Each structure stands twice: as C-alpha cells, then as structure tokens.
Amino acid sequence: MSLPLHCLGGNAAPEAIAADLQALARLPERARARFWDALGPALPDPPPASIEPALDTFARAFEAPRDDLARALKASRFLVREACARGLDRSRFEEDVVGLAGGPLSPEAAVIAPILLSRYDAARATLGVSAFRDTLADHGAVVESIEWRLDGVLASSRGDAGAAKIAVLTLGYRDGDRKDRITLHLSAEKLEELRRACERMSS
C-alpha cells in the first residue's frame, strides 16, 4: 500500500518517488555531502536553463552516476517543493522522508533524511518569498523600487507659485516580463494624505 504523505495533503506519492529518492543513498559520500549545491538551484519553477550543464559538472566533480543523481534530484525537488508549498514543519517533512526511504530502521533513511533536512528550513523561507513575489505578480504590476526627492516650484507659465514645496516620487515596477518607471509629483497636502494612508495600512 502506498504511503500517505503530509506534503501531499495525505495523498500517496507518485509510484516512482520512493525508488528515485533512495538513489540519493547510492551517491558517493562526497556527492551526498554537497547534494544541496545541486538541489538548491533546481528548486525554482521552472528550473533555470543552466541546471542541466550544472548537473553534468556536479556529476563529474563528485564522481556521481548521472542517472542516480538525476533521479535523486527529481524526487528531492518534488518533495521539498510540495512540503514548502504547504508550509510543512520540519518534523512532518522528516516523517515523509523517513517513510519513503524505508522507515525509521532503514539504513537508507539514516542517510537520506539528514541530507534533506539540513537545509529544508532555509529552502522553505526562500521558496516562501518567491511564492509571495509571484502571487503579487499574478495580479498586476509590482513595485520594485522607490526613489524620491523634495523640490520647490518658484514660478511657471501659470504664474508665481509662491515657492510651493512638492515631493517627486519615482516608482520602478515590473509587469510580467516588462520593467518600467513612473514619476509622480505630490503636493504637500497629497504627501500628507499618502503618509496617513501608509500608517493605516502598516498598523
């Protein structure tokens, strides 16, 4: 019977995941010690194009069989991403990994679980930030930078401005793959209104 996993909301793992995960225990010791050097860059979705050549380099450097490395990375990436997406705590994730690796008494589990747990919390934090950023981008333009200065208007073609002070606010933003900037001029009254709005949103 397939093992229900916390990281899958109680559903069973895809059939090949357990076998692929256990390939991690077959990697040379040096490759296992540096496994997150390969796994970490592979976690984004989609994985960057540089991953394949990087894996070839990793396999050569640590004399890791390419097939075992690829299988271990595939299973580990799947499990880490699913666990992080559900905000799974460390102990629940450990239960899933140990179960898939053969149970608490399994020699494979004793090797695999410490490896995946070693940077799980850091991965969860990183993927959480990425998910937050992507969620904002799903619904429109996202502010990425804020620049400002204070100016004064002495006079214009409309007449004497009485040395009125204005705030100049430039927002850099990203809309999908496009980046742009917009510059806004705020009177003292509108600047104060913006300040009050920011205070209310922050409280």
Side-chain angles (χ1 to χ4, degrees), residues 44-126:
D45 188 32
S50 59
I51 284 300
E52 285 301 322
L55 293 187
D56 289 335
T57 301
F58 184 93
R60 288 193 302 270
F62 298 103
E63 300 178 338
R66 185 64 167 78
D67 182 61
D68 281 346
L69 177 61
R71 293 176 65 189
L73 281 171
K74 178 182 177 182
S76 300
R77 180 181 186 275
F78 174 79
L79 293 170
V80 170
R81 284 188 56 84
E82 291 295 325
C84 291
R86 285 175 168 79
L88 208 65
D89 65 37
R90 185 184 180 87
S91 62
R92 289 293 181 91
F93 182 58
E94 183 176 13
E95 289 178 23
D96 285 350
V97 173
V98 169
L100 285 170
L105 301 180
S106 164
E108 288 81 8
V111 171
I112 294 169
I115 294 172
L116 292 190
L117 289 167
S118 65
R119 299 193 198 174
Y120 172 69
D121 291 332
R124 186 172 64 173
T126 299

Side-chain angles (χ1 to χ4, degrees), residues 140-142 144 172-182:
V142 179
E144 293 192 325
Y173 65 91
R174 175 171 54 88
D175 191 355
D177 293 331
R178 182 174 66 91
K179 289 190 175 185
D180 209 338
R181 291 157 60 90
I182 183 171

